[in-house]
Amino acid sequence: MKKLTYGTASVTMMVLLGLMIVSEAQARVVLATQGPRYHQSPSNHELIFEGGLAEPMGDQSDGFWTTDNGFGSSTGYQVGVRFRQYLGEFFAVSPAFHYTRFGTASGVTDVGSETNLAYEIRTSNYRYGLDMQAFMGGGNSPVRLFMTGGVALVNNRYRDQLQYHSTFQETVNTPAYSAGLGLKMHNIEIVGEYTYNRFDTNKFTNGDTPLSYNWDSLIVRVGISFGR
């Protein structure tokens, strides 16, 4: 086996030194490209689009022709949008807007000397609310249970239409309160919420005496969040 001469050794040392310099430079480039090795903290706000089913729980679903304050409403839907601002890892406030439309009652009826007149009765509302949410589990948890509750101004809307007659529409503004439970899975949410919505008015009848209305509802909705 040949021995390394001084010239060969010098060249070898220079080559090794060059490789070390190149390796160091490459390592610096990789680190600069990949960035620091820590997780960026999540945003403190998000935008959520929601939609789901709305079930009337009060006397809304009672018969229109057999009760004084029933409208024959059935299962409907709710759509809305909310902005959630986190005040920490476990608490958030959330202004929201929702439109709820319950199932329309329809059929035929007799009015005076007119027979077999088609009719439709619709109830709905606009909800302008401020909700508070308390979350369980860390902010980076894949699944988080949370409680929600809030207050809202609700614009309750009534509309009926009778064949060959004009359409009647009326609205009543009232405060409402809601509470529920939700499950957040990254950017997907499922929420079950009960809304307490009761008021007195004479706008939905021909008489002057106000009637008490129970327009409570149970909402089951799904949300998709963006921005966090």
Side-chain angles (χ1 to χ4, degrees):
M1 184 175 66
K2 294 182 180 180
K3 293 183 180 180
L4 294 176
T5 63
Y6 288 112
T8 306
S10 299
V11 172
T12 302
M13 291 297 295
M14 291 177 65
V15 171
L16 291 176
L17 181 60
L19 290 175
M20 291 176 63
I21 293 174
V22 171
S23 299
E24 178 69 14
Q26 289 180 339
R28 290 179 179 179
V29 171
V30 170
L31 289 176
T33 303
Q34 292 181 346
R37 294 184 179 180
Y38 60 84
H39 295 287
Q40 184 178 2
S41 60
S43 171
N44 61 358
H45 60 268
E46 57 188 340
L47 184 67
I48 306 160
F49 295 96
E50 300 175 322
L53 297 178
E55 182 71 25
M57 302 299 293
D59 48 36
Q60 235 179 316
S61 58
D62 293 344
F64 179 77
W65 304 106
T66 57
T67 63
D68 292 333
N69 46 15
F71 299 101
S73 302
S74 56
T75 304
Y77 64 87
Q78 182 184 86
V79 293
V81 60
R82 74 172 62 247
F83 178 83
R84 178 181 291 145
Q85 177 68 47
Y86 287 88
L87 302 181
E89 189 175 6
F90 303 102
F91 188 76
V93 295
S94 180
F97 168 77
H98 292 94
Y99 171 69
T100 306
R101 177 170 169 177
F102 298 98
T104 302
S106 60
V108 295
T109 187
D110 300 335
V111 177
S113 59
E114 300 177 281
T115 60
N116 295 326
L117 299 180
Y119 71 88
E120 283 190 354
I121 301 170
R122 180 195 305 170
T123 59
S124 60
N125 64 55
Y126 295 124
R127 178 185 183 272
Y128 307 87
L130 179 63
D131 299 326
M132 283 69 71
Q133 281 125 18
F135 291 83
M136 303 176 189
N140 293 321
S141 300
V143 179
R144 302 184 75 187
L145 182 69
F146 65 93
M147 296 181 292
T148 182
V151 296
L153 174 65
V154 176
N155 178 245
N156 298 288
R157 310 175 68 84
Y158 168 76
R159 178 182 184 273
D160 69 37
Q161 186 173 13
L162 184 64
Q163 187 178 9
Y164 309 128
H165 292 260
S166 61
T167 300
F168 175 79
Q169 299 183 79
E170 203 43 273
T171 65
V172 176
N173 293 320
T174 185
Y177 312 91
S178 60
L181 287 174
L183 197 63
K184 183 174 179 61
M185 299 163 286
H186 294 298
N187 66 326
I188 303 295
E189 300 180 10
I190 301 175
V191 178
E193 182 179 79
Y194 189 90
T195 298
Y196 181 94
N197 179 19
R198 303 181 187 187
F199 54 92
D200 295 340
T201 187
N202 62 356
K203 291 186 176 182
F204 296 164
T205 63
N206 294 325
D208 296 329
T209 303
L211 297 179
S212 295
Y213 293 93
N214 178 344
W215 279 26
D216 290 5
S217 59
L218 177 64
I219 309 297
V220 179
R221 61 175 178 257
V222 176
I224 301 178
S225 63
F226 300 89
R228 183 174 171 82

